Amino acid sequence: MLFGYCFIEVISLKQKYLFCCITICMIMFVIMDFGIYHVENITSSYFKFLAMTLLFLSANYYKKMILCYTIFCDFLLLFTSMYTLGIAFFIVVHLFYLCQMIPFFEYQKRQQQCMLLLLLFGILFSFLPLYTVAICYSITFLLHIIVAVTQKCSKMYITGLVLFVLCDCCTAISFLTFNTMVAKCIWILYLPSQILLTITKQHYFSTVLPLPQIKYPHLLRLQKKR
């Protein structure tokens, strides 16, 4: 209950309307995945992708950059069989989240430069075998979790990562065992994880010194004297 109250406090009025629509999309794809209701010529994948698109619209500038790659990965995994490319770009997504904890990355120009570099990085990774890419993804995700914990990120952010891990575990189990019931749980865990990671502000930017003070520490000493 307290977690729900904190969630409502974080988001703006515009985001609340968007999250209402996302909730409706989630209800629809859960109903369709579990066979409760069926719409002719429409699969649950459309509602899943629509939910991520709405989440993109609710995000700030930096999180929109991350969600660009996330939505691209979702499209590949939902509507195509290009799984290697999808997982390769999910590595890029986690690298973006790691970059948000670097002070100088707060500047928009550097974000755009990094976005292009990571795009090339993702394309190169996609040429590797699927299992190799999956191992690299696991290592990158583990690094993301370790950094998030050591940086003492908010509980909402950590909760998002935990849900993301559970989602990936379900994905691996369903892929290896073809268990359809486990596969139905993937997006039930995945969508809330993306919501929490999106609405949580960049932890590092709010705690570090401004860049000029890091580069020129004597400015900080002058401010303290004043």
Side-chain angles (χ1 to χ4, degrees):
M1 189 173 179
L2 178 62
F3 177 78
Y5 176 77
C6 295
F7 174 80
I8 292 170
E9 286 296 312
V10 168
I11 61 177
S12 65
L13 182 62
K14 176 187 173 183
Q15 288 175 318
K16 288 177 183 177
Y17 289 121
L18 288 170
F19 283 121
C20 285
C21 295
I22 292 170
T23 303
I24 293 170
C25 288
M26 185 172 182
I27 293 170
M28 287 301 299
F29 73 66
V30 169
I31 287 173
M32 295 177 74
D33 280 344
F34 283 88
I36 300 171
Y37 182 73
H38 176 71
V39 180
E40 191 176 353
N41 299 325
I42 297 178
T43 64
S44 63
S45 296
Y46 291 103
F47 288 102
K48 293 170 183 175
F49 192 74
L50 177 59
M52 288 302 298
T53 304
L54 293 170
L55 184 60
F56 171 83
L57 296 174
S58 71
N60 61 30
Y61 174 78
Y62 178 75
K63 292 297 173 70
K64 274 187 169 69
M65 294 174 63
I66 298 176
L67 286 171
C68 278
Y69 285 104
T70 306
I71 290 173
F72 176 64
C73 297
D74 292 335
F75 177 81
L76 293 174
L77 298 176
L78 286 172
F79 300 110
T80 74
S81 58
M82 302 172 69
Y83 303 126
T84 304
L85 184 61
I87 297 172
F89 272 90
F90 259 124
I91 296 174
V92 174
V93 169
H94 285 294
L95 290 174
F96 256 121
Y97 278 113
L98 285 169
C99 286
Q100 76 176 348
M101 299 173 190
I102 302 172
F104 68 82
F105 200 71
E106 187 173 4
Y107 293 88
Q108 185 173 347
K109 185 177 179 181
R110 287 171 179 164
Q111 292 174 9
Q112 293 169 349
Q113 292 171 348
C114 187
M115 188 175 185
L116 292 173
L117 288 173
L118 290 178
L119 173 62
L120 297 174
F121 185 80
I123 293 171
L124 291 173
F125 249 94
S126 65
F127 288 100
L128 297 174
L130 177 60
Y131 287 102
T132 304
V133 175
I135 291 169
C136 293
Y137 170 82
S138 301
I139 294 170
T140 309
F141 199 170
L142 180 61
L143 179 62
H144 183 183
I145 294 168
I146 291 170
V147 172
V149 172
T150 54
Q151 292 284 355
K152 297 180 180 179
C153 290
S154 67
K155 291 181 180 179
M156 291 180 69
Y157 193 89
I158 298 297
T159 304
L161 288 178
V162 171
L163 291 173
F164 208 160
V165 170
L166 293 174
C167 161
D168 285 344
C169 290
C170 290
T171 303
I173 292 169
S174 65
F175 182 78
L176 295 173
T177 64
F178 302 101
N179 189 315
T180 55
M181 186 57 66
V182 174
K184 292 173 183 177
C185 297
I186 293 173
W187 270 81
I188 296 175
L189 296 165
Y190 175 72
L191 184 57
S193 76
Q194 295 305 304
I195 292 172
L196 292 175
L197 293 178
T198 299
I199 66 173
T200 308
K201 293 181 180 179
Q202 289 84 340
H203 168 76
Y204 202 85
F205 294 165
S206 60
T207 57
V208 297
L209 295 170
L211 185 63
Q213 293 181 2
I214 296 172
K215 192 173 181 181
Y216 306 106
H218 66 277
L219 293 177
L220 180 61
R221 290 195 293 271
L222 287 173
Q223 288 183 0
K224 285 183 177 179
K225 288 180 181 179
R226 292 177 184 177

